Amino acid sequence: MLLEKTFVDAITYRPGAVILYPGKSDMLYRVQSGLVRVHTMDDEGNGLTLRYVKPGEFFGEEALAGVERHYFAEAVTDSTVDVINPALMNAEDNLEVTTHLVKTLDRAYDNIYRLVGKRLRARIAGELLELKDTALATQLQTGETMIYATHDELAAAVGSVRETVTKVVGELSREGVISAGYGKITLKNERALADIAAE
């Protein structure tokens, strides 16, 4: 666990609040609670989700190398974020952050493979399963998981557009794998969803 002396502050953000903008970087951040989305935009203003940061995970790692940030970080849910001064980190702290970076890089490789090598149907299934373990998900009395996500948000995460995502979500709903309502998706058959994500 990072030592208290490295903390600068702990800040709480409301959903939709931008925590970081592209630019100079000097602090490291760790999500204490909630969910943070790291994203960028193309020349036409379309958003692309690079990754979600869950409790215990870091973002703003470029501060460790003194390089510029090229993304936005935004609170998806009510989120509390620890602000950490890299200059105060000791060897144990550095090892914790390095371990996190290795895991983040591994996830990035998986996400790149999913975006480039998988059909949209598989990408959406994989994204829903990943969101299952975040603050966007809630457990229903039936034992099923409901995820609060719009088709626009899904599209940004899987590198597509809303209209196409809506079509695939409709297909998965008709197959009984999920059920979709306004801004929410319920996972009806997670085993089938995992099979689709592996296609």
Side-chain angles (χ1 to χ4, degrees), residues 96-168:
E96 182 180 347
V97 175
T98 300
T99 301
H100 156 78
L101 284 171
V102 170
K103 291 178 180 176
T104 299
L105 190 58
D106 188 52
R107 274 170 51 196
Y109 290 153
D110 287 343
N111 288 341
I112 290 168
Y113 172 69
R114 188 192 303 163
L115 281 171
V116 175
K118 299 255 186 187
R119 293 169 47 215
L120 181 59
R121 177 181 165 90
R123 300 200 311 262
I124 290 173
E127 185 66 22
L128 289 172
L129 290 172
E130 187 166 324
L131 291 174
K132 173 181 176 285
D133 297 316
T134 70
L136 287 177
T138 186
Q139 199 79 11
L140 301 177
Q141 288 184 341
T142 59
E144 297 167 339
T145 301
M146 185 171 69
I147 298 166
Y148 293 94
T150 66
H151 292 184
D152 279 321
E153 289 163 342
L154 267 182
V158 299
S160 185
V161 294
R162 179 179 52 80
E163 292 79 8
T164 312
V165 166
T166 297
K167 179 182 175 188
V168 174

Side-chain angles (χ1 to χ4, degrees), residues 56-101:
E57 297 180 344
F58 299 87
F59 62 101
E61 300 94 339
E62 58 282 345
L64 300 171
V67 297
E68 290 247 327
R69 183 185 309 111
H70 298 289
Y71 60 82
F72 297 86
E74 174 186 334
V76 179
T77 63
D78 285 321
S79 302
T80 300
V81 175
D82 296 326
V83 183
I84 298 163
N85 185 345
L88 301 178
M89 290 167 53
N90 62 24
E92 184 183 346
D93 302 331
N94 283 317
L95 178 60
E96 182 180 347
V97 175
T98 300
T99 301
H100 156 78
L101 284 171

Side-chain angles (χ1 to χ4, degrees), residues 4 14 42 44 104 131-132 166 190:
E4 291 293 327
R14 299 289 294 161
D42 63 20
E44 297 175 359
T104 299
L131 291 174
K132 173 181 176 285
T166 297
E190 290 184 29

Side-chain angles (χ1 to χ4, degrees), residues 2 28 32 34 124 169:
L2 283 165
L28 177 68
Q32 191 182 113
I124 290 173
V169 166

